Structure formats: structure tokens, C-alpha cells
Amino acid sequence: MASSPVLSPARVVARVQSCKSIPVNYVGRFAPSPSGPLHAGSLATALASWLDARAQGGRWLLRIEDVDTPRTVPGADRVIMGQLEALGLAWDGEVIWQSHRNEVYQAAFDALAAHGLIYGCGCTRREIADSALRGQTAPGADGERAYPGTCRHGLPPGREARAWRVRVPDGVEHFTDRWLGPQEQDVAQAVGDFALRRADGLWAYQLAVVVDDAAQGVTDVVRGADLLSSTARQRVLGRLLGLPPLRYMHVPLILDAASGLKLSKQNGAPAIDTGAPLQPLQAAWRALGFTPFPAEGVAPFLREATARWAERFPR
Ligand code: GLU
């Protein structure tokens, strides 16, 4: 972020809090997709990840996940950064933008390809859906059917590669989520070989997130439960790339009271109003299932919430 000679109150709070102990073994991050401003759902995730980092005396990084350029709204990154600052959720170090990181993703992709772990796939979405209808695949994660492996042993004659997929090894992936407990997924069965480079030429989220978490030295991912079904995939990919495993915590999603759907920019969740920043922070705290408490301002709220978080999730 741009350096300013005068620290904003939010940054002073963060500076003091991060000096309480020397961060050694915790690096967290918030990784919003800039498809719109923060709303109640994304704020709850940001708050949970900030509190966990601060409670552990760790660093908290900000990464703008604009790899999916068609979904990126120009200027939304700056709006999100301004909202975080107004809410006292200051980040450490430089912000990174995925759209600037093509070479890093390409290098990871090439490393996998050099080991024969990537193949070109000529299937359209329609063809994959049709093979699912014919019962060739098990019901998959994310409501999508697993990729049936049609092009795994070579493109059918006359077909060109559209997307590039990673060969998923057999086996069940196990991990313990710090919020949800033990988890497992058979990625080959539930997802199949997944795309790292999409048919539109863009890098897939799964590749970018794994590469960037490693590049930024992230140790702990705290994010919304909608991404739980991606975690086993990301662990498999990390292992294929020789990267150290991360710890995960998936926090509950905030649902829209009327529709019961996940609050999202796509379904029109209103932007957080940072005019009175304590109110949305307290709402996010409650939405995460914690008992409300009175606070006189953002800094005292964040101090108390950090202490309570540390009690709930001891080191
Ligand atoms: N960019 C993703 C989102 O905004 C989050 C990715 C992650 O935390 O791994 O939903």
C-alpha cells in the first residue's frame, strides 16, 4: 500500500498489537476477490482471519485475488483496502495483486508439466456434464460432477486442448480444520483431475492460491466454509509442488435472512458502511457466533475481541 508519513489510528493499533510478541510462526492472510466492496459475509471472514493472526502474535497479509479478470470490478480493490483501514483491520507488509503474478504461476505450472503432471483437455463443460448424466462420474464437490478423465491418456483425435489439468493421485486427503474438526476428501473421486489453466486462458484459482500462499510464507488460512471443498485439492496440489502443508480454519458463512443463501456480491449483499465502524465489526463478531460485548471504539473492541479469540482458540 502507499506509504504515508502519518500513521492512521488503525495502523497505530495494529503496530502496537503486533509488537506484543515477535511473530515467528504464524502468517495469515485475507484474500478477497475484488468483485465488489466488503459486505457482512466477507467482513466476518476478514475479521476472523485478522483476529486469529493477532491472537497468535502473527502477521496478517492482504492479497487481492484478481486472477479471474472477468469478475474483477475496477476500483473494488481500493474500496476494500479503504474499508479494512476504516475498520481497524490493518495488514502487514505489501499487498500483492494476482493479476501481476503471471510468471510465478507459469513457473509452477511448468514445474508440474516437467514431471508429467499436466495434460491438455479438449472437453467442453457440456461434454463433462453429459458424461456425468451417463453415470460415468460420482457426484462431486461444489455441486459439480467430477471430471471423468476423458483426456487423461491423450486428446481424442481431432481435438485441441482447451484447458490444462493436473493429474490427481489416488488416495484420501485428511486434515483437521481448526473450526470444523477432522475432514477428508478423495479428490480423485470427488473432483477428478482439475484445471490449473482454464479454457479462457486464465490461471485457475486453485493454482494461484496455492502458489501465492507459499510465496507469501502463509502458515494459516482462515476463510469462509464455502471454500472447505477446495482445501483437499489445494493440499494435493501443494504436495505435488513440494510445498509445506498449511493449517486451515473455515468459519461459518453468513446467510441472507430472507433467502437462506450465502451472502455474496453476486446476490446483492450491501457494502459495509464504515461511517460508524464499530457497528459492522460487532455484527460480524456476533455472526461468527461469539457473545456480544460493549466497546467504546474500534481499538478497544479489537483488543477485547483478540483476547476472547485467543481464549477460544489457544495456541
Ligand atoms: N478469493 C477468494 C474469495 O474471495 C478467497 C480465497 C481464499 O481465501 O483462499 O472468495
Side-chain angles (χ1 to χ4, degrees):
M1 59 180 283
S3 58
S4 130
V6 182
L7 289 174
S8 68
R11 296 201 65 84
V12 173
V13 172
R15 197 62 71 85
V16 171
Q17 285 175 337
S18 63
C19 288
K20 271 199 227 146
S21 58
I22 309 214
V24 278
N25 57 6
Y26 185 108
V27 180
R29 60 19 169 220
F30 178 51
S33 305
S35 52
L38 287 181
H39 52 75
S42 42
L43 173 58
T45 304
L47 177 64
S49 123
W50 189 92
L51 288 172
D52 198 49
R54 297 308 179 217
Q56 303 233 14
R59 286 165 59 74
W60 191 65
L61 310 178
L62 177 62
R63 179 169 77 231
I64 302 294
E65 296 212 321
D66 56 352
V67 74
D68 190 350
T69 38
R71 286 184 53 215
T72 296
V73 172
D77 50 355
R78 299 285 162 186
V79 172
I80 292 171
M81 290 161 75
Q83 289 177 301
L84 290 172
E85 287 207 305
L87 293 160
L89 304 180
W91 57 89
D92 300 305
E94 297 293 319
V95 179
I96 69 171
W97 274 261
Q98 290 188 324
S99 55
H100 301 172
R101 295 176 56 73
N102 184 46
E103 282 163 30
V104 192
Y105 307 140
Q106 184 72 55
F109 182 89
D110 291 347
L112 293 168
H115 285 86
L117 292 168
I118 302 279
Y119 65 88
C121 169
C123 300
T124 60
R125 268 174 186 273
R126 184 59 196 257
E127 286 166 332
I128 296 170
D130 285 352
S131 58
L133 283 179
R134 290 195 301 273
Q136 290 169 1
T137 62
D142 302 335
E144 286 194 15
R145 291 294 175 133
Y147 177 65
T150 318
C151 300
R152 198 172 218 239
H153 303 292
L155 287 165
R159 299 301 288 267
E160 278 186 18
R162 295 162 42 83
W164 296 85
R165 294 180 183 273
V166 61
R167 293 179 197 280
V168 172
D170 288 335
V172 178
E173 190 63 28
H174 295 269
F175 63 98
T176 300
D177 186 274
R178 291 176 52 223
W179 190 292
L180 297 167
Q183 305 291 321
E184 59 172 55
Q185 188 185 56
D186 183 331
V187 182
Q189 287 285 320
V191 180
D193 296 338
F194 52 95
L196 299 187
R197 186 156 214 164
R198 305 175 354 178
D200 58 8
L202 294 174
W203 297 111
Y205 155 70
Q206 307 292 356
L207 177 71
V209 77
V210 169
V211 168
D212 286 342
D213 281 339
Q216 292 188 286
V218 167
T219 60
D220 284 79
V221 171
V222 177
R223 60 185 176 190
D226 53 332
L227 290 166
L228 180 64
S229 63
S230 288
T231 302
R233 232 174 297 184
Q234 292 170 12
R235 287 171 56 88
V236 167
L237 189 52
R239 194 164 330 104
L240 293 176
L241 284 163
L243 303 173
L246 310 181
R247 287 182 290 255
Y248 290 90
M249 177 190 279
H250 290 87
V251 300
L253 295 180
I254 313 293
L255 303 180
D256 176 59
S259 65
L261 295 172
K262 174 199 162 193
L263 272 193
S264 73
K265 296 154 197 165
Q266 288 72 27
N267 65 26
I272 292 294
D273 174 4
T274 53
L278 189 54
Q279 194 275 328
L281 286 169
Q282 284 177 318
W285 176 252
R286 274 198 311 278
L288 288 166
F290 288 88
T291 309
F293 60 88
E296 283 180 5
V298 166
F301 169 80
L302 289 175
R303 252 196 316 273
E304 177 62 22
T306 303
R308 291 183 183 212
W309 186 280
E311 262 170 43
R312 166 87 165 74
F313 299 106
R315 283 178 196 232

